[in-house]
Amino acid sequence: MWQITGHEAAIELLDNSLKNDRLSHAYLFVGPAQVGKMTLAINLAQALNCEKDDKPCGACSSCQRIMNSQHADVQVIDLAAGKTEITIDQIKEAGKTKISTDQIKDLEHYASLKPFEGRSRVFIIANSELMSSEAANRLLKTLEEPPPFVHIILLSTSEKAILSTIRSRCQMLELRPIAISAIEKALIEHHGAKTEEAHILARLSSGCMGWAVQASDNADSTPGGPLLLETLVSIAKADRLEKFSYSASMASQFSKNRAEVQKLLSLWISWWRDLLLIKGNCREMITNIDHQETLFREEVYYDIIDIRNFIISLIQAGMLLKNNANPRLVLDVLILGMPKRKGC
Ligand SMILES: [Zn+2]
């Protein structure tokens, strides 16, 4: 009854440990953003407190209360309250960059109290790589000798970003991107997506169910509006002067909304990656399938090496912008270095 798409190996391990009463008191779930770490952690909290034999049932009062963030014994610790994973950019925009010692002191306090309504107290630390070092050191104490009814689940996008002393006290579970077909099926069966929408979103999701669900709930969050890709194709055909003018407008947009420009760069990466896949005879793996006709048409105009180099340039430009390099300079170099379209 685990209500999560994919991650079968992790579920089997947790389910067996639960049935044999061998669950660890501390887990570290590592995987890309929105891959399902929080969903699995909530499911585990439900399994630990479920009132039925087949745990987690998802339907009993405990399971429901945990799902709705109303259970007194299950707490999510994050930069923002709630059980939704937020991106690092959203955190930075909110102006808070660390999980504080005070938050871990609170955890310590509640961990010392017997469960109030269930059997286990569960603490889920989202974005745990963002704990201040003082907070992380404080957490060590509880991890060293957790009360028998306490379970701590740390979520992180990177194993290496977690202090080795903390890692060594946790059982690590790696959550990898899940199969596109599984995402497509789940979107249709559990999230009311239409067949074609599910097909496209699953391809765009890079194997991250949370992203696909969010995009399905909010069509506006889907990157790759047709307009953006049409602009991209027209820029590739443009002369030097037009390219300069486009990079100037992008730099100006960057000063107003950094996230939009980063989103655009991600979209471009997906576009050029698709061209690379088509060149490599892997058409079935392309992401922008709603633009496949344009992709098939454009592919013949570019050399494979040029495409590959430009993808590297796009990644580097994104990193330079994140590190506060001069946006006009970065974008001028990027756009003027766009692969030459044969025949232009
Ligand atoms: Zn239940």
Side-chain angles (χ1 to χ4, degrees):
M1 292 299 285
W2 294 74
Q3 285 128 18
I4 181 166
T5 305
H7 307 307
E8 290 83 0
I11 292 170
E12 191 182 339
L13 187 141
L14 292 173
D15 201 41
N16 282 334
S17 306
L18 184 75
K19 283 175 180 150
N20 298 311
D21 201 19
R22 294 171 66 96
L23 272 177
S24 169
H25 282 279
Y27 284 97
L28 170 60
F29 294 173
V30 175
Q34 296 187 304
V35 80
K37 302 184 294 293
M38 179 63 82
T39 308
L40 185 61
I42 294 286
N43 248 206
L44 179 56
Q46 288 176 316
L48 280 161
N49 285 295
C50 179
E51 297 153 19
K52 303 285 179 190
D53 291 337
D54 196 7
K55 305 173 198 310
C57 75
C60 72
S61 154
S62 273
C63 284
Q64 289 284 315
R65 288 173 64 71
I66 291 168
M67 177 52 72
N68 298 322
S69 314
Q70 292 167 336
H71 199 287
D73 300 323
V74 178
Q75 289 181 29
V76 174
I77 293 133
D78 196 353
L79 294 171
K83 61 184 172 57
T84 314
E85 271 186 83
I86 50 176
T87 66
I88 303 293
D89 282 343
Q90 286 168 322
I91 291 162
K92 284 188 178 157
E93 275 169 27
K96 194 179 171 200
T97 54
K98 295 284 179 199
I99 292 172
S100 68
T101 316
D102 282 346
Q103 286 173 283
I104 301 302
K105 275 186 197 166
D106 278 350
L107 179 154
E108 239 172 46
H109 168 69
Y110 286 108
S112 68
L113 307 174
K114 288 229 163 94
F116 182 69
E117 57 175 305
R119 287 186 307 277
S120 295
R121 277 202 183 267
V122 184
F123 300 93
I124 301 167
I125 307 181
N127 295 301
S128 59
E129 65 271 35
L130 298 176
M131 269 187 288
S132 70
S133 42
E134 202 188 333
N137 281 313
R138 181 111 201 181
L139 179 68
L140 269 178
K141 284 193 204 161
T142 310
L143 286 175
E144 271 162 13
E145 283 182 62
F149 48 82
V150 165
H151 293 270
I152 298 172
I153 309 166
L154 290 93
L155 316 182
S156 176
T157 51
S158 160
E159 179 195 351
K160 289 186 185 143
I162 305 294
L163 276 183
S164 60
T165 40
I166 289 196
R167 281 199 319 249
S168 66
R169 285 167 176 81
C170 298
Q171 183 172 352
M172 197 182 90
L173 287 183
E174 196 180 347
L175 303 192
R176 297 210 172 93
I178 61 180
I180 302 299
S181 56
I183 293 186
E184 189 174 338
K185 189 164 175 268
L187 282 177
I188 295 169
E189 290 178 3
H190 305 299
H191 299 278
K194 295 197 177 80
T195 313
E196 192 173 344
E197 182 197 1
H199 189 58
I200 293 169
L201 292 181
R203 295 286 185 105
L204 286 168
S205 70
S206 308
C208 293
M209 187 70 205
W211 183 91
V213 172
Q214 205 174 50
S216 174
D217 289 347
N218 177 10
D220 291 344
S221 70
T222 310
L227 210 59
L228 289 175
L229 283 175
E230 273 162 23
T231 310
L232 171 60
V233 175
S234 70
I235 298 299
K237 292 180 191 169
D239 64 23
R240 204 173 155 79
L241 204 60
E242 288 167 321
K243 283 180 176 163
F244 261 127
S245 147
Y246 186 74
S247 71
S249 76
M250 258 180 102
S252 145
Q253 195 188 353
F254 185 77
S255 66
K256 293 179 209 136
N257 190 340
R258 289 172 157 242
E260 277 303 310
V261 172
Q262 289 289 357
K263 212 195 272 182
L264 186 67
L265 292 180
S266 302
L267 172 68
W268 284 14
I269 290 172
S270 76
W271 174 266
W272 292 97
R273 177 181 167 275
D274 281 351
L275 288 180
L276 203 60
L277 287 167
I278 295 169
K279 287 264 181 210
N281 288 325
C282 299
R283 290 179 170 218
E284 70 288 354
M285 288 171 69
I286 65 168
T287 295
N288 296 290
I289 47 173
D290 44 342
H291 298 289
Q292 56 183 342
E293 279 178 28
T294 316
L295 280 162
F296 295 155
R297 190 186 68 221
E298 288 297 308
E299 169 258 328
V300 296
Y301 293 108
Y302 298 99
D303 282 332
I304 194 161
I305 298 293
D306 290 346
I307 298 174
R308 192 199 69 125
N309 289 342
F310 192 58
I311 292 173
I312 295 169
S313 301
L314 281 162
I315 295 168
Q316 284 171 341
M319 281 162 43
L320 286 167
L321 290 174
K322 269 188 190 146
N323 290 326
N324 297 321
N326 180 330
R328 182 67 207 267
L329 195 62
V330 172
L331 294 166
D332 275 353
V333 171
L334 178 74
I335 290 173
L336 290 174
M338 196 176 261
K340 198 163 165 38
R341 191 174 183 276
K342 288 178 212 162
C344 284

